[in-house]
Amino acid sequence: MLTVNRKDKSPIWQQLLNQAIEHITSGQWAPGELLIPSRELAHLVGVSRSTIQIVYEELLSRGYTVTSRRGGTRVSNWNRVTESTAATLAQGPVPPALPLLNSAVDQLHDWFGGIQQQEVEIDFTPHEPYLDGPFQKNWRQSLIHASTAMSLSDWAYGNPYGLLALRQQIQRYLLLERGIPIGTNQILLTSGAQHSLDLIAQSLLAEGDTVSVEDPGFPAAWMAMKYRRMHVVPVPVDEQGLVVNQIHPESKLVFVTPSHQCAVGSVMSEPRRQQLLHKAVQEQLWIIEDDYDSEFRYRGEPLPTLFSQAANNTLYLMSFSKMIAPGIRLSAIVGSAEAIAQLARVQELTYRHLPVMDQLTLTHFIKNGHFMRHMRRVRNVYRRRHEAITKAITASGLGERFTLSGAETGLHVLLEAEASYNEEAVTRLALQQGIRIYPLGPYCLESRRKGWVLGFAKVDEASIAQGIHRLAGLIL
């Protein structure tokens, strides 16, 4: 039975949700078990029915339960990481030995001591976040402060892990906002997702290794891996995220965007997450978890990370490109101390370290509260724009002709068409009318899915409504 602790400061729905998840994951509520109707449970617990409905909706959205019109709500059938693999989880995969790299770094120590696009009226870009005057003012303030406070020693060669003060700020942020307790030696600063993936390919894989990527998915992921001569294998994505049972059996690494799938926008369900973690532990795979825009969730709190459940199997990528601005070119890889140490040695040999001024500026920006104020401000903006685009798609009739997905988290939605649809023709037609939309095709390796990835971060509410209305007029 669920209970409420009135002295607990956390919301009642959160208390009940945590208890329900514990009952399911511990097996107390068995797979297939029918949940008590919300009205009856509300009476038993002594809370409003709407509170229970929030709990049930959250369980359903995370994949803990399934529902049907006649069958009610039941516990999902899923396999979690069992106790038998707990000892293996603590060890994780061992980074490969790289004697040539170690020799090169030792010798290094001894020796050293855009393409313009056609202008349009309305651009539904999924690649860029919202920026405003307060951000620019505060960033300039941090830049001036960082420049003024610099000493001569700051201009020397830096730590390949990245500036310690910045890693400490990231460490604090991940603990408070994402519930991830780590040490600063588990954080490596990079200059973006491609840089992170390139370092991972150089450090933890060998030429010709098989890697599995989402399809549709993040093009930079498979481009970086192919460039490093990896055998890249696409894995389909459905409404529950990556189809884990179709991961190539010889894969050494799996790239996944579980909190908000890069192209389709689906959220990886809890059963799929547990299935992936179980596979990673049993087969000693690396999981690359790209958490690029999970901070922007429009119902409930950000979902738990895969890294928090399998830290030694997972390399967690975070980037300030979506949280702040792409021009900052700062991001981080979070992983086990052993894996991060190996990445840092490759960084030292190939990149040495990141520009110190950018790191000092971002450190000041976070430390003085500008970052969290910026995040609160843009979350409100994105919530309004997310509501505007979903309402506009429904009102325009596009929602009846095409399938809308990815409308819970992140900065884009997917408007999906039939596989035979000519998405390129519509994309060109819209561009001629001053509207830029982004076809799904470039996100696909082998998938034949069609549609458009529509970002809303940089488009105000009025322009969203106008752009969707004009788009509907072109294709309906």
Side-chain angles (χ1 to χ4, degrees):
M1 172 59 66
L2 304 182
T3 60
V4 175
N5 181 0
R6 302 291 176 179
K7 294 182 180 181
D8 192 330
K9 294 183 180 180
S10 62
I12 291 175
W13 71 266
Q14 187 69 65
Q15 294 182 41
L16 298 177
L17 176 64
N18 291 342
Q19 293 174 48
I21 291 174
E22 174 62 27
H23 289 341
I24 293 172
T25 56
S26 66
Q28 187 173 340
W29 290 359
E33 181 176 335
L34 182 66
L35 300 191
I36 300 174
S38 59
R39 191 185 303 277
E40 182 180 344
L41 183 58
H43 177 72
L44 292 173
V45 178
V47 297
S48 68
R49 186 187 180 193
S50 62
T51 299
I52 300 300
Q53 287 174 327
I54 291 173
V55 173
Y56 278 16
E57 288 172 2
E58 193 66 15
L59 289 173
L60 180 64
S61 70
R62 298 192 188 189
Y64 287 107
T65 60
V66 294
T67 186
S68 63
R69 292 183 180 179
R70 297 183 180 180
T73 300
R74 297 180 181 274
V75 176
S76 298
N77 292 312
W78 56 286
N79 295 319
R80 60 192 177 88
V81 175
T82 62
E83 293 182 3
S84 64
T85 62
T88 311
L89 257 176
Q91 298 175 3
V94 179
L98 299 173
L100 292 177
L101 168 66
N102 295 333
S103 175
V105 171
D106 289 341
Q107 292 177 27
L108 182 67
H109 286 163
D110 292 339
W111 177 71
F112 222 98
I115 302 175
Q116 292 186 349
Q117 295 180 322
Q118 174 186 339
E119 292 204 9
V120 294
E121 297 175 52
I122 302 172
D123 188 348
F124 287 102
T125 174
H127 307 305
E128 296 184 40
Y130 166 78
L131 296 174
D132 58 10
F135 156 73
Q136 182 126 326
K137 176 184 176 182
N138 292 330
W139 186 264
R140 184 183 299 114
Q141 184 182 97
S142 292
L143 175 62
I144 293 171
H145 181 276
S147 178
T148 303
M150 285 185 74
S151 65
L152 290 176
S153 63
D154 289 324
W155 292 105
Y157 287 102
N159 191 325
Y161 280 79
L163 188 71
L164 176 60
L166 179 52
R167 286 185 285 129
Q168 289 171 335
Q169 292 300 319
I170 292 173
Q171 176 192 38
R172 183 172 183 273
Y173 170 79
L174 289 175
L175 177 62
L176 296 179
E177 297 296 320
R178 304 295 278 127
I180 303 176
I182 52 170
T184 54
N185 66 334
Q186 292 180 259
I187 302 172
L188 179 76
L189 301 181
T190 68
S191 63
Q194 291 93 323
H195 180 189
S196 297
L197 291 166
D198 190 50
L199 279 175
I200 291 168
Q202 294 181 67
S203 308
L204 304 179
L205 299 171
E207 182 176 326
D209 277 351
T210 298
V211 300
S212 291
V213 299
E214 297 170 318
D215 185 22
F218 182 40
W222 71 67
M223 290 178 183
M225 295 299 178
K226 283 187 173 182
Y227 177 75
R228 290 294 174 183
R229 297 178 176 82
M230 303 301 161
H231 178 217
V232 176
V233 179
V235 181
V237 173
D238 62 16
E239 66 278 359
Q240 295 188 58
L242 185 79
V243 182
V244 176
N245 60 15
Q246 293 195 41
I247 291 174
H248 194 283
E250 296 180 3
S251 289
K252 300 292 181 66
L253 177 148
V254 179
F255 178 90
V256 64
T257 52
S259 296
H260 186 234
Q261 206 278 329
C262 175
V264 178
S266 57
V267 176
M268 181 177 275
S269 68
E270 191 61 26
R272 288 279 176 85
R273 288 167 180 256
Q274 294 298 327
Q275 186 184 7
L276 178 58
L277 291 172
H278 185 79
K279 185 179 184 66
V281 169
Q282 291 299 309
E283 300 180 16
Q284 291 292 277
L285 302 177
W286 293 103
I287 299 173
I288 307 302
E289 178 182 14
D290 190 349
D291 204 35
Y292 68 105
D293 65 359
S294 66
E295 291 82 2
F296 308 118
R297 191 163 188 253
Y298 308 110
R299 187 177 67 180
E301 297 296 318
L303 297 176
T305 62
L306 297 175
F307 177 82
S308 63
Q309 300 176 69
N312 288 312
N313 286 81
T314 307
L315 290 168
Y316 176 86
L317 308 187
M318 66 171 293
S319 174
F320 292 97
S321 293
K322 288 291 177 70
M323 289 191 287
I324 305 179
I328 292 175
R329 300 314 299 156
L330 283 172
S331 58
I333 307 173
V334 179
S336 68
E338 293 77 15
I340 294 300
Q342 186 130 299
L343 290 168
R345 289 180 70 77
V346 176
Q347 173 106 305
E348 187 171 14
L349 177 64
T350 57
Y351 299 96
R352 193 64 176 118
H353 63 84
L354 301 180
V356 65
M357 180 59 71
D358 296 341
Q359 297 179 79
L360 287 169
T361 302
L362 181 56
T363 302
H364 182 274
F365 191 79
I366 299 174
K367 187 175 182 179
N368 286 272
H370 297 316
F371 174 63
M372 290 309 301
R373 284 191 291 271
H374 174 78
M375 290 293 287
R376 286 193 293 269
R377 190 168 64 253
V378 299
R379 279 191 184 111
N380 291 329
V381 171
Y382 295 151
R383 187 171 288 107
R384 293 194 300 268
R385 294 182 178 183
H386 165 264
E387 183 179 0
I389 197 168
T390 54
K391 281 186 174 180
I393 288 172
T394 301
S396 67
L398 287 172
E400 298 177 8
R401 176 67 179 81
F402 305 97
T403 301
L404 175 64
S405 62
E408 284 188 3
T409 304
L411 306 182
H412 76 264
V413 297
L414 174 68
L415 199 60
E416 187 164 7
E418 297 90 351
S420 60
Y421 201 87
N422 192 339
E423 65 177 13
E424 288 293 344
V426 172
T427 303
R428 289 192 298 269
L429 181 61
L431 188 60
Q432 292 170 6
Q433 301 300 316
I435 304 171
R436 178 175 285 118
I437 56 178
Y438 293 76
L440 186 59
Y443 291 82
C444 300
L445 264 173
E446 294 181 359
S447 172
R448 296 183 179 278
R449 297 175 70 168
K450 300 291 179 63
W452 301 274
V453 178
L454 303 177
F456 51 83
K458 290 199 73 175
V459 194
D460 61 53
E461 292 90 322
S463 297
I464 287 172
Q466 180 188 2
I468 295 298
H469 177 76
R470 287 168 57 183
L471 180 61
L474 291 173
I475 61 180
L476 292 182

